[in-house]
Amino acid sequence: MNFRLFLKTCALALSTAAVLSGAAHAQTPPKKFKVYLSMSYSGNGYQTETSNLIKALAATPPYDKLVELKTVISGTDVQAQAAAYQSMVSAGADAIITFPISATGLNRAIHEACEKHVLVYTYSGTVTEPCARTVSYITAGFAPNTAQWLVNKLNGKGNVFIDRGVAGNSVDKMNYDGAMSVFKQYPGIKIVAEYYGMWNSQTTQQETAKALAAHPDVDAIFGENGEDGIVAAMLASGQKKLVPVTGENTNGFRLALANPDLRKRGLDGISSGDPINVSGYAFKLMMEELTGKRKVTVHNIEYPLPWVPADKVKVCSGDKFVDGCNAFPSTRVPDSFNTEVFDPVLTPELSLNSALNGTPTPGATIQPLPADVVKQAPDVPGVNCQHCQAPADLFKLTKVTATVKP
């Protein structure tokens, strides 16, 4: 064979091989990260919506090509959730995003996951294992501010119920400790009933009804999530006089606060607490770290606190928070629906249907988080850190001032 012809033939073969190789490479799909959503319990609006937001984001481009999302519900047993984490790691998890049932009981399983280079993010609930990233609102002042609002309303004297969440969880601990840091300052405030509503509207209604039967002379109620059940229990009790209630973000509660007839009967309150969107923000932050777009070095990350007094409740005419509206008609969502699902900066990709059904918003694509978005939360021993010291002003008032002297 002619030597020049031989060289041309070789060059052509190499060129063809390169083209074919490039084409094959171009057609190779990007790596899919195996991400697990670990829920400790289910059955209430909060857990359904937080998981729906994560599912919606995972199905939004380009995450839909990057994420293989699997959901595991382990219940309220600590060991069951720890075992679930271990199974996820064994199955090849790249990341775990979770609502943890315990701040300390899951540390060993989380540490083992980190040692296997599995990224662990918690939302709302926190853990003290330092290798995890905890994203929560619990240090932003919900409990002390709402408790002080109640004290102001009662002029420092009265019988109070405390509706708690899930026993042993860091969220409930912070809410209770924050509320008691205020109530204990006022000898005239009497805590006449404490009960666990499990952050569930139906359970909260049942437990509040029991407390009302034993203490019909209650003057105010401090509530956590599921607080629409508190209002339902008062209405079902037949009491003509309603009392002030503080709670979180259920739609039924906000509609009740905006109801002029109920306001005339004595209902007043503050809608604050856990914003549902904390799960969506945590998921996006986790994905930016997982894909190498962001380096996160902060263990405890604080999410801002919503704050809606009764006179600021405004019902939306559509499916978005626009023109200051912050609640939806009862024909659009159930009373147990948690309203704080939107944030135009953190999660512009999400819609009402994302929260209701876990579906991505048509035409939406994932938008990057602001560069300076991570805000470090204060340390709280036994809640989000192990060997640490809480700041002296952990339960400082930021939304209200004390108008009544202790």
Side-chain angles (χ1 to χ4, degrees), residues 10-22:
C10 289
L12 179 61
L14 290 171
S15 176
T16 301
V19 170
L20 290 174
S21 175

Side-chain angles (χ1 to χ4, degrees), residues 143-316:
N145 282 285
T146 52
Q148 186 64 58
W149 183 90
L150 280 179
V151 170
N152 292 350
K153 191 74 178 176
L154 297 176
N155 199 30
K157 296 179 181 179
N159 296 329
V160 175
F161 294 170
I162 296 184
D163 163 42
R164 302 188 63 172
V166 174
N169 184 269
S170 63
V171 177
D172 178 69
K173 174 176 171 53
M174 281 292 289
N175 287 347
Y176 183 75
D177 289 352
M180 292 307 294
S181 73
V182 173
F183 291 146
K184 287 179 178 178
Q185 298 179 48
Y186 296 89
I189 296 294
K190 308 296 182 184
I191 308 302
V192 296
E194 288 184 21
Y195 50 88
Y196 287 94
M198 300 297 289
W199 297 322
N200 178 290
S201 300
Q202 184 176 3
T203 304
T204 297
Q205 181 175 348
Q206 293 170 350
E207 295 302 316
T208 303
K210 295 176 186 177
L212 286 170
H215 304 281
D217 58 343
V218 66
D219 298 300
I221 303 176
F222 174 90
E224 296 188 25
N225 194 268
E227 73 286 350
D228 58 299
I230 295 174
V231 178
M234 287 196 295
L235 294 175
S237 72
Q239 294 182 212
K240 291 184 178 181
K241 181 183 177 182
L242 304 179
V243 302
V245 178
T246 59
E248 301 202 33
N249 308 301
T250 56
N251 199 68
F253 182 51
R254 289 193 175 177
L255 292 181
L257 292 179
N259 186 310
D261 293 333
L262 298 185
R263 294 293 302 275
K264 288 178 183 177
R265 292 172 57 182
L267 181 64
D268 199 356
I270 298 290
S271 173
S272 182
D274 200 341
I276 292 297
N277 192 50
V278 67
S279 68
Y281 168 52
F283 181 75
K284 285 184 64 176
L285 198 60
M286 181 195 73
M287 286 302 301
E288 289 192 354
E289 184 171 6
L290 192 62
T291 55
K293 293 181 179 179
R294 179 186 295 267
K295 184 174 179 60
V296 180
T297 58
V298 176
H299 167 54
N300 295 315
I301 301 165
E302 187 172 274
Y303 194 95
L305 181 71
W307 187 263
V308 181
D311 61 357
K312 298 298 182 184
V313 176
K314 182 179 179 182
V315 181
C316 301

Side-chain angles (χ1 to χ4, degrees), residues 74-86 101-102 104-106 108-109:
S74 53
T76 57
D77 181 74
V78 177
Q79 294 306 315
Q81 190 168 33
Y85 290 168
Q86 292 168 336
I101 196 62
S102 170
T104 58
L106 301 165
R108 181 176 178 180

